[in-house]
Amino acid sequence: MKKITARFYRSASGNQPVRDWLYSLNPVDMKIIGTEVKTVEFGWPIGMPLVRKIKRDLWEVRCHVSNGIARVLFTVIGNEMVLLHGIIKKSQKIPLGDLETTQQRLKEVQGNA
């Protein structure tokens, strides 16, 4: 049974940037990421190596894909896992612009919770 349910962040204009990002990937990578998100849904809370806490109310799902390591940044509100941002990381640190985007979306969803 699912412990939390994943949903995509939706902007005020109705866009779902994480869903769009996922669909831009090749089908194999998309399936890997989907499977790992599903693992989190059924096993929450989960720690390393799959899930790493970034800061208060913010975690990342780490997935090995064809061209690096995909990161899906998310928060948990009630029993929902809100997928805020997705990137393929080449280095250890999350690029500052991606972190800022994620934190802005986090503020939005917490304000609407």
Side-chain angles (χ1 to χ4, degrees), residues 16-61:
Q16 293 179 307
V18 178
R19 175 176 263 166
D20 295 342
W21 170 76
L22 273 173
Y23 285 137
S24 76
L25 302 174
N26 73 56
V28 173
D29 290 347
M30 193 165 55
K31 184 171 176 37
I32 289 167
I33 294 167
T35 300
E36 298 295 29
V37 167
K38 189 184 214 174
T39 299
V40 176
E41 287 181 297
F42 283 91
W44 183 254
I46 292 180
M48 290 288 281
L50 182 60
V51 175
R52 183 171 74 99
K53 186 168 185 147
I54 305 294
K55 50 178 53 183
R56 186 171 177 262
D57 298 332
L58 187 61
W59 293 266
E60 68 177 2
V61 180

Side-chain angles (χ1 to χ4, degrees), residues 57-68:
D57 298 332
L58 187 61
W59 293 266
E60 68 177 2
V61 180
R62 304 148 60 97
C63 313
H64 291 274
V65 293
S66 59
N67 60 343

Side-chain angles (χ1 to χ4, degrees), residues 61-111:
V61 180
R62 304 148 60 97
C63 313
H64 291 274
V65 293
S66 59
N67 60 343
I69 299 176
R71 306 284 201 240
V72 180
L73 297 138
F74 71 94
T75 191
V76 175
I77 297 175
N79 62 350
E80 282 191 320
M81 170 188 192
V82 184
L83 309 179
L84 299 169
H85 192 58
I87 57 171
I88 305 283
K89 248 176 49 163
K90 307 285 195 242
S91 65
Q92 287 293 99
K93 285 193 163 216
I94 297 169
L96 192 57
D98 289 302
L99 197 53
E100 287 170 353
T101 297
T102 303
Q103 289 177 308
Q104 183 57 47
R105 292 174 183 167
L106 176 61
K107 283 182 193 159
E108 272 181 56
V109 298
Q110 287 177 329

